[in-house]
Amino acid sequence: MRDAKLACNPPLVTHAGLDDAQVRVASAEPSSLTLLGLVQHLAEVERNWFQRVAAGIDVPPVYGKGNGKGHVLDPERGMGEALAVWKREITRGAEVCAGLSLDDVGRIADGPMTGLEVSLRWAYVHMIEEYARHNGHADILRERIDGVIGA
């Protein structure tokens, strides 16, 4: 059903030309969000909505229990690894949802919406919204880092 090539990819473009220190800069105070943290977060939401919710698979957070949203940075993990993990999560989500109908329903297992049932269609729409919101965040972060607009 879902083609990984169709996935949105703001971090692939937004980080181009930045070094490791720059992708770790929280440039829009008071927020602690970074471009690297944003990529890690997108890997987490891909896993959550497509593997956990839509497919009902019990998988742990990508970056560990204490980093369920993915924003916490590890000095040993750079953008290259984070992008590879993000792409892996997109591919895995596409695999587990391939046989599902847009009307198939999954259940949210934790968080403020615990127990709520949502269709795969709903999850896709939510992810479009998620990527749209984070595209804006990435644009602001990048502009504050080096002045580049619309990367």
Side-chain angles (χ1 to χ4, degrees):
M1 178 62 64
R2 182 167 187 241
D3 185 340
K5 291 179 264 181
L6 297 178
C8 301
N9 60 3
L12 293 176
V13 177
T14 305
H15 80 283
L18 297 178
D19 63 29
D20 187 63
Q22 289 172 308
V23 299
R24 295 172 183 276
V25 172
S27 62
E29 299 81 12
S31 173
S32 61
L33 185 63
T34 66
L35 289 171
L36 179 55
L38 188 57
V39 173
Q40 292 178 172
H41 173 67
L42 292 171
E44 289 290 356
V45 296
E46 287 283 342
R47 176 175 281 193
N48 183 61
W49 290 109
F50 298 115
Q51 293 180 58
R52 286 191 193 105
V53 176
I57 302 170
D58 184 19
V59 289
V62 176
Y63 294 105
K65 255 189 186 278
N67 194 8
K69 293 197 180 220
H71 295 125
V72 179
L73 305 183
D74 178 333
E76 302 298 316
R77 184 177 40 255
M79 185 61 89
E81 181 181 341
L83 287 168
V85 169
W86 173 66
K87 289 176 187 178
R88 181 193 73 211
E89 293 304 316
I90 290 170
T91 300
R92 180 67 180 135
E95 291 169 357
V96 300
C97 291
L100 299 178
S101 157
L102 291 175
D103 295 321
D104 283 343
V105 173
R107 185 181 307 269
I108 298 173
D110 55 21
M113 298 189 304
T114 299
L116 182 68
E117 291 184 340
V118 297
S119 68
L120 180 57
R121 177 182 287 104
W122 185 95
Y124 284 141
V125 170
H126 176 73
M127 288 300 288
I128 291 167
E129 295 166 340
E130 183 91 12
Y131 275 98
R133 181 173 50 257
H134 293 319
N135 265 318
H137 296 149
D139 283 346
I140 291 166
L141 291 169
R142 178 61 191 258
E143 184 175 359
R144 297 273 304 171
I145 290 168
D146 67 354
V148 171
I149 299 172

Short mmCIF file of all heavy atoms in Angstrom, two decimals, residues 8 11 38 42 55 62 66 89-90:
data_model
loop_
_atom_site.label_atom_id
_atom_site.label_comp_id
_atom_site.label_asym_id
_atom_site.label_seq_id
_atom_site.Cartn_x
_atom_site.Cartn_y
_atom_site.Cartn_z
N CYS A 8 7.72 11.65 2.62
CA CYS A 8 8.24 13.02 2.69
C CYS A 8 9.67 12.96 3.22
O CYS A 8 10.01 12.08 3.99
CB CYS A 8 7.40 13.85 3.64
SG CYS A 8 5.68 13.95 3.15
N PRO A 11 14.29 16.27 6.15
CA PRO A 11 15.65 16.31 6.66
C PRO A 11 16.70 15.98 5.61
O PRO A 11 17.84 16.36 5.75
CB PRO A 11 15.66 15.27 7.77
CG PRO A 11 14.47 14.43 7.56
CD PRO A 11 13.50 15.21 6.74
N LEU A 38 15.23 16.17 15.07
CA LEU A 38 14.04 16.11 14.24
C LEU A 38 14.04 14.84 13.38
O LEU A 38 13.02 14.16 13.26
CB LEU A 38 13.96 17.36 13.37
CG LEU A 38 12.70 17.59 12.56
CD1 LEU A 38 11.47 17.62 13.44
CD2 LEU A 38 12.83 18.90 11.79
N LEU A 42 11.36 11.75 13.58
CA LEU A 42 10.61 11.22 12.44
C LEU A 42 10.75 9.70 12.33
O LEU A 42 9.79 9.02 11.96
CB LEU A 42 11.04 11.93 11.15
CG LEU A 42 10.65 13.40 11.09
CD1 LEU A 42 11.30 14.08 9.89
CD2 LEU A 42 9.15 13.58 11.07
N ALA A 55 0.01 -1.90 12.35
CA ALA A 55 0.26 -3.34 12.23
C ALA A 55 0.15 -4.08 13.56
O ALA A 55 0.18 -5.31 13.59
CB ALA A 55 1.64 -3.58 11.61
N VAL A 62 12.72 3.43 18.95
CA VAL A 62 13.93 3.30 18.13
C VAL A 62 15.17 3.66 18.95
O VAL A 62 16.18 2.96 18.89
CB VAL A 62 13.86 4.21 16.88
CG1 VAL A 62 15.15 4.15 16.08
CG2 VAL A 62 12.67 3.85 16.00
N GLY A 66 14.06 5.82 27.31
CA GLY A 66 14.18 7.18 27.81
C GLY A 66 14.14 8.24 26.72
O GLY A 66 14.22 9.43 27.00
N GLU A 89 13.10 2.74 9.02
CA GLU A 89 11.77 2.74 9.63
C GLU A 89 10.68 2.97 8.58
O GLU A 89 9.61 2.38 8.66
CB GLU A 89 11.68 3.77 10.75
CG GLU A 89 12.54 3.43 11.95
CD GLU A 89 12.26 2.06 12.54
OE1 GLU A 89 11.07 1.70 12.69
OE2 GLU A 89 13.23 1.33 12.85
N ILE A 90 10.93 3.82 7.61
CA ILE A 90 9.98 4.04 6.52
C ILE A 90 9.79 2.74 5.74
O ILE A 90 8.66 2.32 5.46
CB ILE A 90 10.45 5.16 5.57
CG1 ILE A 90 10.36 6.51 6.28
CG2 ILE A 90 9.62 5.17 4.28
CD1 ILE A 90 11.03 7.65 5.52
#
